[in-house]
Every structure is written in structure tokens, then in C-alpha cells.
Amino acid sequence: MKKNPDLMLIFLTAILVLTGIVMVFSSSSATCAMLEDCNNDPYYYFKRQLIYSCIGSVFFILAYKADLLKLGRFSFVGLLGCFILLVLVLIPGIGVATMGARRWLGYGSFTFQPAEMAKVFCVLYLADYLSRRGERIRELWKFAFIVVLIGLVMGIIEAEPDLGTALSIFATLVIMLYVSGARWQYLATVFGGSAGLIIFKLFTGHSYRMERMRAFINPWKDSQGSGYHVCQSLIAVGSGGITGLGIGQSRQKFFYLPEQYTDFIFAIIGEELGLIGTICIVAVFIMFLYRGLKIASQTSNLFMRLLAVGCTFMIAFQAFMNMGVVVGIVPCTGIPLPFISYGGSALIACMTMAGLLLNVSRHCSRRSNNWQWGDDIEEIDESQQEAGESAEKAKA
């Protein structure tokens, strides 16, 4: 018998999505009214984010109602489909290029970012693969297979270029391998090799990455160039003070702070809602992380435990990376704030993962570690009690 879903998780997800709708409107309305690209409509991004939230809610419910066992079995097909779409993104004339990056597929005003759904299927396939392998993941070739496979997906995403998403998948890969019982020597090798590769790409790849690193070390040295984003973000956060300037009262959103409704929306939250508002958002994400890990700890089935850990960590990692970028303690990586930043693909992916996590919560045993897939806890306890009594009678 399935249990009731985690109501706190539903509440936290709803709070984040609603906050996103409000803050997207607040951060974009003034500039949209002045831009022909938005048809001079101050509600342009607000209406689109509202539509994305409705679509995301459908995916949230579908993920919540889905048969997780079947999803796990067909996850490789989904991952393969995402890989093909990621390759298509890089083909000129098919992929949509914006601001030097080629990350989208679409037509006209409708665009779709395959990398976001790749996150979902990476988590699903990792959970399925690692749970089926069990202790055998400690064998080198089985460990190497999954690392190389996910590494190919990360490599295609990094080529877009989208280092932030690639890092999110990598961090989730490492934590899921750790939870599954992989040898720490293998994990250390993967971590060290990846760190070396990132450093190599930093010095030999796109020049803007080195500029971002210099801006991270001292953004004020080039406040009108490579450090402009970070400097304007810090000004926005600092201007908010303790209580903020009030909803809709941001000054930095008037063409001072770039990407004010996407990657740097947390800066507008700091400016309009102040330190209190930012602490509340951080607290909600910490609570989301806590609830997700608690759900994982109450699940004895390895597939569900890994799925819960993967979904939770993917969302939490992106959240804290984004907020770290905004306050200047992490180099710019282009990671949106989950549930809050404007964007349909990212919002739908996050709500899908939240729905999967909520689905896992229905199958958790809060009283016993004897949980089994699709079985009633009461029946398991009774059968084990009867088996114990029979064994005692046999010994007597």
C-alpha cells in the first residue's frame, strides 16, 4: 500500500514556483515595456512563466503518478533521445544560437533546451544502472562504463558551451556513485581527472572563461568589462539592506544588471526583499535538501534511494551554485536558480524531478526498514513475524 506523499515537499515546491512567477514579473516588467522584442508588453515574461509553470505542474503530476520501475527500465531510451537532441543542437541551421551559445532547439518564439531534460534522464538512468549492478559497481569496468557514458553527455553539453549544466550532472554523478558504494579510489581518480580537464579547458578553451575567472578573483578591477555582471549583482544585493526596497522597486533591473530575470534573479530578490528575503529563499532550499535526503534515508530500495538522492542533489547543487555566483563566492557558470529563474525547460525539468522525489516519498517506510517495492508494510511485518514464529517452533 502506498503512503501519503510528503506534504512539506509539495509546499516547498509551490513556494519556490510562486516566488519565481512573482519575481520574474517584478524583474522583467519595466524593461519589457521598453523593448520591441517583448512587444512593449510589461507582462510578456510573466505570462510565459505562468504558462511554463502550468506545463511544469503537468509534468510534476505525471512524475508523481508514474510507475518508477518502468521509468527506470526505459530511462536509457530517454537518455539516448536526449543525446541525439544534444547533437542536433550543435548543428548549424538546426540548433538555435543566442549570445554565442548554441543550446536550444525550436522554431520562432518557441525554444527547448535538451540539456535540461538530459539532467532528468541522467539521474533516472544512473539510479537504474547502479541499483541493478549493486555491489558490482565496485568493479572497475562497470564503474568505468557509467562514467564514460555520462561523460559523453557532459562533453556534448560542455561543447554548446554550457559548463554549468555539465558541472551539475558531474556533481550528481559523483554523489550517486558514492551512495551506491563505489570505491573511493575510483571516485578520487574521476574527481582529479575532471579537475585537471577543467583547468586545461580554462587555459585552452574559450577566452571568456579565463575572463570570468579573473572577474571572480577581483571583479572591481574591470567593473565595466569582465567583472560587470558580478559588480552590478553585488550592488543590487547590497542596495536591498535588511528589508529590501520593496517588490517592484529594484533600480538595477533598469538595464544595469544583465540577465536580471534569469541567472541573476536572486540579486533582484536581494534588492527588493533584502537580507530577510534572501535568507528565506536559502532556508527553503535547505529545507528542500533536508526533505529530499530524509526521503532517501527512509527508502530501503536502492533504486529509489539513488533516485531521491540524485533529484535532490541536482536541484540543491544548482541552487547554491547560482546563489554563490550572485554574491561573488563562485565563478560565473550560467546556472539558473531552480524553480525561480525565467525559462521553460529548466522549470519543467526541476518540477519533473520534484515530482519524482514526491513519488518516492509515497513508497517510504517511516516505521521499518523492511520496505519492498509495491508491497504493503503491514503485510511485510506480519509475514516476517509469522516466519519468525515458525522458525522458533521448528527449533523447539
Side-chain angles (χ1 to χ4, degrees), residues 10 19-20 46 51 80 140 155 180 198 232 260 289 297 303 310 344 346 362 375:
I10 298 176
T19 299
F46 167 75
I51 293 172
L80 181 61
L140 178 58
S180 67
I198 291 173
Q232 295 301 319
Q260 75 274 21
L289 175 63
S297 68
F303 172 78
R362 293 194 302 166
D375 290 335

Side-chain angles (χ1 to χ4, degrees), residues 31-57:
T31 52
C32 280
M34 306 176 192
L35 295 174
E36 293 183 2
D37 292 343
C38 302
N39 301 320
N40 300 110
D41 180 7
Y43 299 96
Y44 182 80
Y45 287 117
F46 167 75
K47 289 185 290 188
R48 292 170 72 92
Q49 187 73 354
L50 196 59
I51 293 172
Y52 296 149
S53 299
C54 293
I55 297 173
S57 298

Side-chain angles (χ1 to χ4, degrees), residues 2 75 155 161 220 340 372:
K2 296 179 180 179
S75 58
W220 301 102
I340 296 178
Q372 294 179 9

Side-chain angles (χ1 to χ4, degrees), residues 73-116:
R73 288 174 177 172
F74 290 99
S75 58
F76 180 76
V77 177
L79 185 61
L80 181 61
C82 289
F83 186 84
I84 294 173
L85 292 176
L86 288 170
V87 173
L88 292 176
V89 165
L90 299 178
I91 300 176
I94 298 179
V96 179
T98 303
M99 299 179 64
R102 192 179 296 275
R103 303 176 184 175
W104 298 269
L105 293 173
Y107 180 79
S109 61
F110 172 79
T111 57
F112 167 69
Q113 193 171 355
E116 292 296 334

Side-chain angles (χ1 to χ4, degrees), residues 262-266 269 281 285 318-320 322-323 335-342 346 350:
T262 54
D263 295 351
F264 284 88
I265 195 170
F266 188 67
I269 293 175
I281 296 299
F285 278 113
Q318 293 180 84
F320 295 120
N322 175 276
M323 292 184 285
I335 295 180
L337 186 60
F339 302 107
I340 296 178
S341 291
Y342 170 78
C350 286

Side-chain angles (χ1 to χ4, degrees), residues 239-258:
S239 300
I242 302 297
T243 59
L245 303 179
I247 293 290
Q249 300 303 311
S250 167
R251 295 186 288 264
Q252 288 299 105
K253 66 184 179 183
F254 287 94
F255 301 102
Y256 291 104
L257 176 64

Side-chain angles (χ1 to χ4, degrees), residues 141-155 173 190:
W141 75 274
K142 294 189 182 299
F143 177 90
F145 171 80
I146 192 63
V147 171
V148 171
L149 179 62
I150 301 300
L152 288 174
V153 176
M154 291 189 294
L173 167 67
V190 170

